[in-house]
Amino acid sequence: TQLLEQSPQFLSIQEGENLTVYCNSSSVFSSLQWYRQEPGEGPVLLVTVVTGGEVKKLKRLTFQFGDARKDSSLHITAAQPGDTGLYLCAGARSGGYQKVTFGTGTKLQVIP
Amino acid sequence: SAVISQKPSRDICQRGTSLTIQCQVDSQVTMMFWYRQQPGQSLTLIATANQGSEATYESGFVIDKFPISRPNLTFSTLTVSNMSPEDSSIYLCSVVVGSGVYNEQFFGPGTRLTVL
């Protein structure tokens, strides 16, 4: 079983602070995705990274794929209450679309 | 993209009964999946719903407990049979759109099931 461990599990911060969420595995993935899920909703795709070392920015969110494609990070600058939610990373194996492996999840709360 | 609706959005059921969850997609998709999620936790894949053939179940999930139908490319149902309180969870339908590494996975809003 390929495991994707996320850290931290829970994070409660004040509005305006910065934070980083990590997603680590011993397995290599062909691509890695980040999702955000709000209560009562399904996860929503934020970004897909496919190249080792790749960095993608989405407004205040910066995503990085590790050089060896085994890990990833999500950095949020100046967090807003609207960033509150469950963040999930998900890794896909090579050879066309395969069932993704979801990470353990990071629950973020941004306090106004 | 894909817009997915699920019915019901939530239900409270008695143990020993069965509940069928419906998933409707606004476009034809090949790959459709059913997941289970405890609130605030990660997703566990139950099965892949195949159109025209039996669903493919993950380890720990069996057809007798979670029968799945996939009559066409826009619709699927998941039944939770002979329910027990341990089946209380959020059940999510999901589809994949696109091909290659840039395919996108879309999720329905989920069905929150409570078994008493």
Side-chain angles (χ1 to χ4, degrees):
Chain A
T1 303
Q2 301 170 343
L3 295 177
L4 273 169
E5 297 285 341
Q6 288 184 234
S7 60
Q9 272 188 295
F10 303 98
L11 193 54
S12 182
I13 61 172
Q14 294 291 327
E15 181 176 358
E17 293 184 3
N18 301 332
L19 67 117
T20 302
V21 178
Y22 299 94
C23 173
N24 295 297
S25 174
S26 58
S27 301
V28 176
F29 294 98
S30 62
S31 67
L32 196 135
Q33 301 169 332
W34 283 93
Y35 294 82
R36 179 170 66 216
Q37 183 180 21
E38 299 182 19
E41 302 291 332
V44 175
L45 180 66
L46 296 174
V47 77
T48 299
V49 285
V50 299
T51 305
E54 181 177 4
V55 176
K56 280 193 174 178
K57 291 193 174 185
L58 186 65
K59 295 183 181 178
R60 294 177 293 100
L61 279 61
T62 301
F63 306 86
Q64 183 161 10
F65 203 8
D67 291 342
R69 291 185 289 139
K70 293 182 180 181
D71 54 85
S72 181
S73 64
L74 157 60
H75 182 79
I76 301 179
T77 303
Q80 304 293 314
D83 296 326
T84 293
L86 177 68
Y87 288 81
L88 294 160
C89 63
R93 292 168 290 174
S94 61
Y97 180 79
Q98 300 289 330
K99 296 169 292 189
V100 295
T101 300
F102 277 88
T104 48
T106 296
K107 203 167 184 180
L108 170 65
Q109 181 186 34
V110 182
I111 303 167
Chain B
S1 68
V3 177
I4 304 170
S5 59
Q6 286 185 232
K7 288 182 182 179
S9 58
R10 59 176 62 227
D11 207 343
I12 301 173
C13 301
Q14 296 295 322
R15 72 168 64 213
T17 63
S18 297
L19 175 72
T20 295
I21 303 168
Q22 298 179 7
C23 175
Q24 180 73 54
V25 190
D26 68 343
S27 58
Q28 293 188 337
V29 293
T30 302
M31 307 188 77
M32 185 178 281
F33 306 94
W34 286 98
Y35 287 85
R36 186 166 71 180
Q37 181 185 33
Q38 295 297 325
Q41 297 187 23
S42 189
L43 279 68
T44 300
L45 180 64
I46 297 171
T48 302
N50 303 307
Q51 197 264 333
S53 64
E54 272 193 6
T56 304
Y57 290 84
E58 297 301 301
S59 176
F61 298 96
V62 295
I63 187 171
D64 290 344
K65 176 67 176 178
F66 297 100
I68 288 171
S69 79
R70 180 89 193 271
N72 55 53
L73 293 176
T74 64
F75 186 79
S76 178
T77 66
L78 168 74
T79 299
V80 186
S81 303
N82 188 25
M83 288 184 284
S84 66
E86 291 71 35
D87 295 320
S88 297
S89 191
I90 300 168
Y91 291 85
L92 292 152
C93 172
S94 173
V95 302
V96 170
V97 176
S99 60
V101 294
Y102 284 108
N103 53 69
E104 289 192 52
Q105 188 165 7
F106 296 90
F107 289 85
T111 296
R112 184 180 285 258
L113 171 62
T114 302
V115 184
L116 303 177

